Amino acid sequence: MIPQLVTVRWRRRGNRVRRLWIPVVPVALLLSPLLVLAVIGGVVACLLFDMSPLRMLGGIGRVLWTLPGTRFELEMHGTAVFLGIR
Amino acid sequence: MNEQRRQILQMLAENKITADEAERLLAAIEPEESDPAPGARVRAKSSRPKYLRVIANFNDEVDGEFRVNVRVPLRLLRAGVRLTSLIPPRAVVQVNTELAKVGVPFDLGELKPQQLEELVDALDELTVDVDQADMTVKVYCE
């Protein structure tokens, strides 16, 4: 399943926790013109470096599809960062 | 259900053997049933770990406390590992040359996706547990 929601949470020393929820699909739709340009650039780069664009796109797609469930949490000197992908 | 198991259960139903004997007989035929094919890993799907977990706590007098908690889906590792098969041949040659220069005679071209899959599969059983006064690190699959 593609990622649906990215949650970012951070807290600086002494400050309160701030949260940011990023809905992936709407944001991807909003940025779709840029994504198309990025894909075209990627295909050109693949052709320049003798790589199969289809296999590369498939590989990147597979990585994106397996991202849900990833969590990253870091805390240092009272500063904390959390990144979760659902 | 295979024939041996059926016969044992039949004998139990006919009271020819006791429940304990049936249990022992079933346990005895278990290895034959779960005998995996060479190189293949047999494990119930529900019991397979899904995530690689890394938890680290450092407590330094100068820098203070430092905590890391990472959960990575094993599927993501597999997908990432498969990306290595997309490395262009030119890059493979250059990497091999550089590796050889630093004394690592390793051929990336010999690295097959199937071997990498087996490597990631083997992570299922990985457990690293470091426990020191100022540092604890745990790496395991869940």
Side-chain angles (χ1 to χ4, degrees), chain A residues 54-73:
Chain A
L54 278 179
R55 285 183 68 196
M56 180 53 79
L57 284 174
I60 291 171
R62 201 176 294 126
V63 169
L64 285 177
W65 250 249
T66 53
L67 273 177
T70 305
R71 287 166 58 108
F72 178 80
E73 208 174 338

Side-chain angles (χ1 to χ4, degrees), chain B residues 35-52:
Chain B
D35 191 21
R41 294 169 54 84
V42 177
R43 188 182 284 193
K45 199 174 181 179
S46 60
S47 68
R48 284 191 71 143
K50 285 184 175 177
Y51 301 102
L52 177 70

Side-chain angles (χ1 to χ4, degrees), chain B residues 2 4-5 24-37:
Chain B
N2 68 12
Q4 283 177 313
R5 185 180 288 269
R24 278 200 298 273
L25 287 170
L26 286 171
I29 63 167
E30 197 70 26
E32 290 174 25
E33 289 179 354
S34 61
D35 191 21

Side-chain angles (χ1 to χ4, degrees), chain B residues 73-103:
Chain B
L74 285 172
R75 288 183 308 151
L76 177 61
L77 288 183
R78 287 194 183 88
V81 153
R82 279 189 182 184
L83 278 182
T84 56
S85 64
L86 302 177
I87 300 173
R90 266 189 288 173
V92 170
V93 172
Q94 282 182 347
V95 170
N96 287 344
T97 311
E98 292 300 321
L99 283 174
K101 273 184 193 170
V102 295

Side-chain angles (χ1 to χ4, degrees), chain A:
Chain A
M1 195 170 67
I2 61 165
Q4 305 282 328
L5 188 72
V6 175
T7 307
V8 183
R9 212 164 50 215
W10 72 96
R11 186 192 70 218
R12 288 197 177 158
R13 190 196 293 246
N15 289 359
R16 64 191 179 94
V17 179
R18 295 187 183 278
R19 295 180 178 86
L20 186 64
W21 290 278
I22 304 168
V24 175
V25 176
V27 171
L29 283 174
L30 202 67
L31 299 176
S32 54
L34 292 176
L35 287 176
V36 170
L37 284 177
V39 168
I40 291 169
V43 168
V44 171
C46 283
L47 293 173
L48 284 176
F49 288 102
D50 295 333
M51 296 164 73
S52 163
L54 278 179
R55 285 183 68 196
M56 180 53 79
L57 284 174
I60 291 171
R62 201 176 294 126
V63 169
L64 285 177
W65 250 249
T66 53
L67 273 177
T70 305
R71 287 166 58 108
F72 178 80
E73 208 174 338
L74 184 70
E75 192 173 340
M76 189 179 182
H77 307 311
T79 302
V81 178
F82 168 84
L83 176 75
I85 302 173
R86 280 189 280 176

Side-chain angles (χ1 to χ4, degrees), chain B residues 5-16:
Chain B
R5 185 180 288 269
R6 188 184 299 277
Q7 282 174 358
I8 294 167
L9 293 175
Q10 185 71 34
M11 286 193 293
L12 179 64
E14 293 168 357
N15 285 328
K16 289 182 180 172

